[in-house]
DNA sequence: GACGTAATGTACGAACTAGTACGTCACTTA
DNA sequence: TAAGTGACGTACTAGTTCGTACATTACGTC
């Protein structure tokens, strides 16, 4: 027991714990940076929302920018873990790709803060990510997984489109990302709440149909009717 | 002629011109807000980059937030004009939709500042757009156009998917938007520059193929192979 | 139980930032 | 050409915001 009446008013039982303090700062900072962006977030506000003080932010993270980079690193680490624990090898290629798209969809759905951080980081032209070796020096399990499934699908003759893994990942990500990142302007301007739970399954299914449909399209690479493309411009 | 030696050092020929001053402020402000986001943009910096002073920003726009809203309004007005001058009625539905997708693609390509403004506004949960009646009280020509083409395509039996205009618009926009908005993190993390001119045509074609392919898919609504969907989760 | 160090809190400062008070000038109109 | 008003510039302020100097306390170790 700590001496009664001597510790902070917040929690008489609170003990010194570096890891807990660091983790708490990181958690609150993630929320603040995600909600207000890098420039809009306030170090004082982050400190106020923790059980500790601003001093600790500088003690453990060294400054606002370094804290922000730490937030990005932990956010990306989380999705890497999720991607690595994804097992679709036992599925047939079509089911595997659909599952992969759905998992990506669900991950964006359940991690809006991550989506907002990525948006913010793109406003800053990925300059902070570029400073982090932990983020740049890393292979991407999602791409490898997609590449494996794509190859299997082609060998079995069910995938006809000649799309590569990175482009397919972009196709999937763009749909998932936009629905979460741009829901506010889209909802305001088009009167449709993209993240309405009642419509969520519809969009998940739609994504799967589009991805699978594209990969298995009868025309194969290029889609066949590319005549109008050049004619139109 | 103005009295020599009396006017500002910058431009001896510069005359008073309210419209020009307002337009210049708006142009520079658009760039600054797009580059640094709302919180990151600096009123002093905007003023410094114009031929006029900060006083004029407050004189004409009333403050940082009102200036930002004016920037959003002018940016959206520009794309509305582009959308309204889009004539695809003379094309067959498939060509019309492909053209529409390509025009959307090209617009995002050529207006990265607009894309960045939308990203920024979503970080702020579209609160500024919501304050602008000029932005909320407006029908969207793009949606109407898509709806018209969709209906024509269904009547002629070439479109089988039961997607609605808003969802189709989102599908097209998500691809175009992501490629421009997220190119920095994507490029850094996946080593692929999405906006590389050498790859631009590839992505434009890819988008058209996906959209047309989805609309004309043999399976029709739902894509047929939805069995694995439920099985996988 | 003394001691050294990691962990933590308080108070403050320098620089920045949005916004404004005040004054001047140019151009139109009668 | 005189006057009135819209357009414009300078200099300043109040509040904010990142960062830090300095002091203190808890906890492991011997």
């Amino acid at each position: 027991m700590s001496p009664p009446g001597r510790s902070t008013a917040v929690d008489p039982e609170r003990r010194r714990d570096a890891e807990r303090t660091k983790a708490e700062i990181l958690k609150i900072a993630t929320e603040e940076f995600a909600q207000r962006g890098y420039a809009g977030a306030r170090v004082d506000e982050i400190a106020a929302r923790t059980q500790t003080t601003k001093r600790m932010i500088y003690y453990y993270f060294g400054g606002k920018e370094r804290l922000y980079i730490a937030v990005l690193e932990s956010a990306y680490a989380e999705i890497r873990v999720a991607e690595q624990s994804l097992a679709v090898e036992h599925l047939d290629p079509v089911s595997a790709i659909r599952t992969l798209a759905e998992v990506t969809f669900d991950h964006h759905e359940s991690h809006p803060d991550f989506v907002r951080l990525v948006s913010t980081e793109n406003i800053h032209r990925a300059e902070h990510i570029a400073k982090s070796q932990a983020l740049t020096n890393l292979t991407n399990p999602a791409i490898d997984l997609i590449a494996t499934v794509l190859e299997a699908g082609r060998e079995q003759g069910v995938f006809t489109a000649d799309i590569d893994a990175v482009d397919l990942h972009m196709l999937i990500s763009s749909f998932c990302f936009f629905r979460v990142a741009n829901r506010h302007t889209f909802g305001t301007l088009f009167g449709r709440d993209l993240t309405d739970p009642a419509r969520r399954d519809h969009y998940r299914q739609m994504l799967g149909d589009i991805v699978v449909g594209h990969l298995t399209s009868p025309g194969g690479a290029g889609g066949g009717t590319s005549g109008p493309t050049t004619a139109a411009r």
Side-chain angles (χ1 to χ4, degrees), chain A residues 35 48 50 54 62 70 94 119 144 146 148 154 162 175 179 207:
Chain A
Q35 295 308 308
T50 63
K54 182 167 58 160
V94 169
S119 278
D144 298 340
I146 291 176
T148 304
R154 285 207 194 88
D162 72 339
F175 187 90
R179 194 183 69 96
L207 172 63

Side-chain angles (χ1 to χ4, degrees), chain A residues 160-162 213-214 216-231:
Chain A
T160 52
D162 72 339
H214 183 64
T216 62
S217 64
T225 52
S226 58
T229 307
T230 43

Side-chain angles (χ1 to χ4, degrees), chain A residues 105-106 109 175 179 183 186-188 190-207:
Chain A
F105 182 95
D106 292 338
E109 165 82 20
F175 187 90
R179 194 183 69 96
R183 64 178 150 168
F186 201 93
T188 303
F190 298 100
R192 176 164 302 183
D193 179 6
L194 296 179
T195 55
D196 182 350
R199 252 189 291 267
R200 194 173 45 211
D201 289 348
H202 160 70
Y203 284 119
R204 192 197 283 111
Q205 173 102 28
M206 178 176 156
L207 172 63

Side-chain angles (χ1 to χ4, degrees), chain A residues 111-126:
Chain A
H111 293 80
D113 274 3
F114 171 75
V115 170
R116 297 171 66 88
L117 285 173
V118 174
S119 278
T120 293
E121 182 59 4
N122 274 289
I123 289 294
H124 293 277
R125 299 169 187 274

Side-chain angles (χ1 to χ4, degrees), chain A residues 25 28-29 32-33 41-50 57 67:
Chain A
I25 291 172
I28 302 293
E32 282 293 315
F33 282 123
R42 299 287 170 249
V43 176
D44 282 300
E45 178 64 22
I46 293 170
R49 288 188 51 201
T50 63
I57 293 175
L67 173 61

